[in-house]
Amino acid sequence: MTDMQKKSFGTMLSPIRAGQHMLRNRVIMGSMHTRLETEPDSIARQIAFYAERARGEAAILVTGGFAPNAEGMFDPEGPRIDDPEDARSLRPICEAVQAEGSLICAQLLHAGRYAKIEGCVAPSPIRAPINRFVPREMTDADIRRTIEDFAKAAENAQAAGFDGVEIMGSEGYLINEFTVTHTNKREDEWGGSAENRHRFSVEIVRAVRERCGSDFLVIYRISAADLVEGGAPAEEIADLARKIEAAGADILNTGIGWHEARVPTIAYQVPRGAWRQAAANVKAAVSIPVVASNRINTPEIAEDILASGEADMISMARPFLADPHFVKKTREGRADEINTCIACNQACLDFIFSDRPVGCLVNPRAGRETEFRDSPTESPKKVAVVGGGAAGMATASEAAMLGHDVTLFEAQDKLGGQLNLAQAAPGKDEFNETLRYYGGQLQKHGVKLRLGQRAGSDDLTDFDHVVISTGVTPRIPDLPGIDHPSVATYAEILSGNRAAGDTVVVMGAGGIGHDVAEFLVTEPAETHNTDAFCETWGVDPHFTTSGALAGDPLAPKPSRRKVVMLQRKTSKAGAGLGVSTGWILRNALRKHGVEALGGVVYDRIDDAGLHIVMDGEPKIIAADTIVLCTGQEPERALAEELIAQGVTVTMIGGAKEAAELDALRAIDEGVRLAQSL
Ligand code: NAP
Ligand code: SF4
């Protein structure tokens, strides 16, 4: 029995009563935008998506947000539930989930001033910094009609077969906009005092309860920390929680941070469980179950929060993309087989922001369930996979799971390839979970591991299929002085084989350049300790102040080193970073005083430092260390040798295409190749 199997997750797995329902455990799959609603075969894909997560035994699944009326739509394509006929088309999704023993609740989300539509509405006509549309101030009649729209939407959901609804009252959407002075400047009965600002939320809950009866589950998602100036202090949040309970809600879920907040809330830079105290504050005010959410991604942290009494239930969203069977594996003593969400946002939020259906970096099946099969192959092959990085591990474990006879060669004495480097960046040690997961899968499915063995063509003669996933090597620019002792590759720095000095030049401002710069300036505690994280980003660790802020999230931080980051392009440094994490990286570097210079021409390196030309002027940037983050070249020596011998090989990952290689493409290619063997 492994250490993980010996651990007890008794609280998390124990039933709990909510309203008229006895829930099978204390885990909710939280609401996520999926964009599956607008895909071809929308209903079939949603059935596959939600039913798989119900088979994984989450007690309640909450859908992505449905607008209760046209002006509340997230964007012109966004899902809505104001038409009873349309709502009924969702019935097969509900039935599929319920057949697997889970409850399903439709989230009702009015986007308010975040709606990316002409004619969006808000309590007051104040534009959101993340939206170009200026909202129209709602009239008293608008407000009363919208309360009625929420009630009708809940009724439509009930008629379609949903077990309940979650009323979205957090993250800065319409309901949340009413509750705080940041966005509510009204002087009528819907603004001013807390009593007035809370009226809209309370009336919605009351109307939904009255319309749908006592056995319809009503979850209200309360903002437990707004993280914006003019946000609610803890006593107002507690006061609202009590009113929501009295109005008839069965469960209080918690949300953290408005979308316009300048504090990271769910990305990998946030310590696990960082927001648990915010949920505990809400729990202290009410007697209905309170749910903790955000940056909870393992059964250990979930159990710890529940067992310590800080919350009654846990909501996890992205962890159910990464592994739909999170709860089932935990119940079966297989928690060490969970594919853990690494909080990278690369294929979930970033896909949604680029109008693609939701996906997951560590689980290519997420949102694409109908494209993959789990049944064993009818024609098992002998497969060699050369290179044990993300692409190779994904290929080998998937192929072996499907019944192929797989041997994985890795020249290093450990698996992981570039993931071993990536995990050194602040917060990216979450990648160690991916390494743990694949290590376990390779063993479970009987992959023969040849670690510390650089495969040659002689080793590969006896296979039906040879997969080359030999990865990349750092690109070394052709520059006079490039072999100067001050020069190091990103691989040497991140692996710890070389230490950087006090003044550093980072050449290259792509994803790795930013990671290396952050690694060089950040104290490890800032991403692993909640108090240090709160201090860095200006958050009140007790969550009692207005908006739970205790300072300026962008205030400068002392840095371990002086770092200058350079690129030849004139575009903004980091323009290609992920939408949902790029701003955090850029702000973190700015806070730590990292200077980013573009439009640079590299000239040479010598004892004086890096010689460049900028705006036609020659300059010298003195540096103890110059780190090359100048891209990668594919490692194809073996592939070329084999091809020359007439051996058929399939190249994937960085070996196939080094440009823009990341773990997302590597794992996706690996799994899809294995499926096609
Ligand atoms: P990248 O993002 O393409 O950046 C490469 C950098 O090297 C660019 O700044 C480029 O800028 C510079 N460069 C390229 N050729 C050069 C040359 N011959 N001489 C000098 N400079 C040169 O690639 P990466 O940073 O190596 O990252 C690899 C992949 O991993 C990318 O897909 C990246 O998006 C991904 N990744 C993402 C993240 C993240 O989003 N947080 C983190 C790590 C990695 P100039 O040409 O303008 O100088
Ligand atoms: Fe988690 Fe990253 Fe997958 Fe999103 S893409 S669910 S953050 S692992």
Side-chain angles (χ1 to χ4, degrees):
M1 195 179 258
T2 65
D3 286 349
M4 188 80 86
Q5 284 165 327
K6 281 185 227 149
K7 284 181 193 157
S8 160
F9 301 102
T11 324
M12 180 183 128
L13 297 171
S14 63
I16 183 169
R17 173 163 289 284
Q20 309 280 318
H21 295 266
M22 184 55 84
L23 308 178
R24 57 173 159 173
N25 57 57
R26 291 164 182 248
V27 179
I28 295 179
M29 182 183 97
S31 174
M32 287 174 273
H33 305 295
T34 65
R35 284 205 193 278
L36 292 176
E37 312 84 18
T38 48
E39 287 293 294
D41 295 328
S42 151
I43 296 293
R45 285 183 68 174
Q46 290 182 77
I47 290 173
F49 177 81
Y50 286 110
E52 180 65 0
R53 275 124 193 114
R55 272 190 287 283
E57 301 182 3
I60 303 175
L61 310 186
V62 184
T63 66
F66 288 98
N69 58 26
E71 62 209 9
M73 286 163 73
F74 197 72
D75 58 37
E77 302 285 303
R80 50 200 274 197
I81 194 162
D82 50 344
D83 180 76
E85 197 63 39
D86 288 352
R88 267 195 287 277
S89 70
L90 304 169
R91 179 172 285 279
I93 303 171
C94 299
E95 288 172 349
V97 167
Q98 289 151 352
E100 300 293 346
S102 296
L103 303 184
I104 180 163
C105 293
Q107 190 188 65
L108 305 183
L109 182 157
H110 189 305
R113 69 180 196 147
Y114 286 165
K116 302 225 171 338
I117 52 174
E118 202 79 63
C120 57
V121 297
S124 301
I126 307 165
R127 188 178 67 81
I130 56 171
N131 195 1
R132 68 191 168 90
F133 296 105
V134 181
R136 175 175 68 78
E137 179 173 298
M138 294 171 82
T139 62
D140 180 78
D142 287 330
I143 295 170
R144 292 177 196 279
R145 176 180 46 80
T146 304
I147 294 168
E148 173 61 18
D149 289 341
F150 269 98
K152 278 192 192 142
E155 215 173 16
N156 292 344
Q158 190 175 34
F162 285 97
D163 299 287
V165 289
E166 177 175 85
I167 298 166
M168 181 46 156
S170 65
E171 259 83 358
Y173 294 117
L174 183 73
I175 295 177
N176 204 180
E177 289 160 20
F178 269 91
T179 58
V180 298
T181 56
H182 178 60
T183 40
N184 185 345
K185 310 289 182 195
R186 301 180 74 94
E187 292 176 354
D188 59 4
E189 63 179 296
W190 307 102
S193 66
E195 191 67 23
N196 284 355
R197 283 182 276 114
H198 292 170
R199 181 163 291 120
F200 185 58
S201 324
V202 173
E203 291 302 326
I204 288 172
V205 175
R206 194 173 287 148
V208 168
R209 172 58 73 214
E210 273 173 19
R211 199 65 61 85
C212 297
S214 60
D215 61 351
F216 192 62
L217 203 55
V218 178
I219 307 172
Y220 181 91
R221 189 157 191 194
I222 193 168
S223 182
D226 295 312
L227 303 178
V228 290
E229 282 160 30
E235 70 263 23
E236 270 192 21
I237 297 170
D239 179 34
L240 175 61
R242 283 188 286 268
K243 290 177 191 155
I244 296 293
E245 178 177 27
D250 298 310
I251 295 177
L252 266 172
N253 193 358
T254 53
I256 304 291
W258 289 35
H259 287 318
E260 69 202 62
R262 292 169 303 169
V263 179
T265 55
I266 59 168
Y268 58 86
Q269 288 94 341
V270 181
R272 291 177 181 177
W275 313 107
R276 54 198 288 173
Q277 183 57 44
N281 290 353
V282 175
K283 181 167 159 55
V286 293
S287 54
I288 53 175
V290 169
V291 186
S293 71
N294 285 31
R295 273 307 266 137
I296 301 168
N297 63 340
T298 64
E300 287 81 1
I301 184 79
E303 178 68 19
D304 193 48
I305 291 169
L306 294 169
S308 65
E310 288 162 316
D312 305 290
M313 299 186 70
I314 299 292
S315 170
M316 288 175 275
R318 298 170 300 165
F320 279 96
L321 292 176
D323 198 328
H325 290 198
F326 185 103
V327 181
K328 184 170 192 258
K329 287 180 180 176
T330 307
R331 184 180 60 73
E332 292 177 346
R334 298 190 292 127
D336 55 353
E337 289 184 30
I338 291 174
N339 194 359
T340 305
C341 165
I342 58 170
C344 65
N345 291 350
Q346 268 179 260
C348 47
L349 286 179
D350 287 350
F351 274 18
I352 293 294
F353 288 138
S354 56
D355 292 342
R356 281 183 283 175
V358 76
C360 175
L361 179 143
V362 300
N363 175 21
R365 284 171 164 78
R368 287 145 189 80
E369 284 74 13
T370 52
E371 296 171 32
F372 294 85
R373 67 186 164 88
D374 292 323
S375 49
T377 177
E378 285 171 7
S379 52
K381 295 194 174 72
K382 244 187 125 184
V383 181
V385 180
V386 186
M393 291 190 299
T395 314
S397 64
E398 181 78 14
M401 190 270 283
L402 293 171
H404 297 288
D405 175 3
V406 184
T407 305
L408 175 59
F409 296 89
E410 166 55 49
Q412 303 298 314
D413 55 10
K414 64 175 176 180
L415 293 166
Q418 292 272 310
L419 295 187
N420 292 315
L421 302 176
Q423 62 80 31
K428 287 200 174 175
D429 49 353
E430 287 286 4
F431 269 122
N432 287 326
E433 300 288 358
T434 311
L435 292 169
R436 185 253 317 141
Y437 170 74
Y438 276 119
Q441 291 298 298
L442 295 170
Q443 194 180 18
K444 176 175 177 171
H445 299 301
V447 172
K448 291 164 204 141
L449 274 185
R450 300 281 180 268
L451 288 182
Q453 183 174 346
R454 184 172 290 280
S457 52
D458 291 349
D459 302 307
L460 301 170
T461 49
D462 195 22
F463 292 93
D464 302 319
H465 206 110
V466 177
V467 179
I468 301 290
S469 48
T470 41
V472 293
T473 48
R475 176 182 294 136
I476 311 295
D478 184 12
L479 194 68
I482 198 73
D483 51 0
H484 190 272
S486 62
V487 177
T489 64
Y490 71 83
E492 289 171 318
I493 295 294
L494 292 176
S495 64
N497 288 339
R498 289 274 303 270
D502 291 337
T503 59
V504 182
V505 168
V506 173
M507 282 175 67
I512 292 178
H514 277 76
D515 277 0
V516 166
E518 200 187 20
F519 168 81
L520 293 170
V521 295
T522 311
E523 294 294 344
E526 286 175 44
T527 43
H528 290 105
N529 173 292
T530 297
D531 285 343
F533 168 83
C534 287
E535 209 250 305
T536 297
W537 293 97
V539 177
D540 169 16
H542 308 292
F543 302 96
T544 55
T545 59
S546 163
L549 291 179
D552 177 3
L554 301 185
K557 275 286 292 178
S559 169
R560 293 205 284 167
R561 297 186 175 83
K562 168 89 189 106
V563 174
V564 182
M565 186 169 60
L566 307 177
Q567 68 174 14
R568 299 170 303 177
K569 288 187 283 288
T570 50
S571 53
K572 184 170 77 170
L577 297 173
V579 181
S580 60
T581 50
W583 67 273
I584 305 170
L585 264 174
R586 284 191 294 272
N587 283 351
L589 297 191
R590 216 169 285 142
K591 281 166 70 68
H592 288 90
V594 174
E595 200 182 347
L597 303 177
V600 167
V601 178
Y602 301 122
D603 180 28
R604 66 183 191 282
I605 295 165
D606 60 22
D607 290 346
L610 175 65
H611 296 247
I612 61 169
V613 178
M614 250 186 90
D615 301 326
E617 293 289 318
K619 282 192 177 148
I620 304 173
I621 308 184
D624 303 320
T625 312
I626 296 170
V627 188
L628 303 179
C629 304
T630 44
Q632 290 97 20
E633 301 290 349
E635 179 53 66
R636 288 191 192 140
L638 175 64
E640 282 161 8
E641 188 185 330
L642 291 168
I643 291 166
Q645 292 170 7
V647 180
T648 306
V649 302
T650 310
M651 273 190 276
I652 59 166
K656 177 176 150 199
E657 174 68 64
E660 309 237 325
L661 170 72
D662 58 27
L664 170 60
R665 175 160 73 78
I667 293 174
D668 190 70
E669 280 183 10
V671 171
R672 285 178 191 275
L673 170 63
Q675 289 263 321
S676 71
L677 283 174

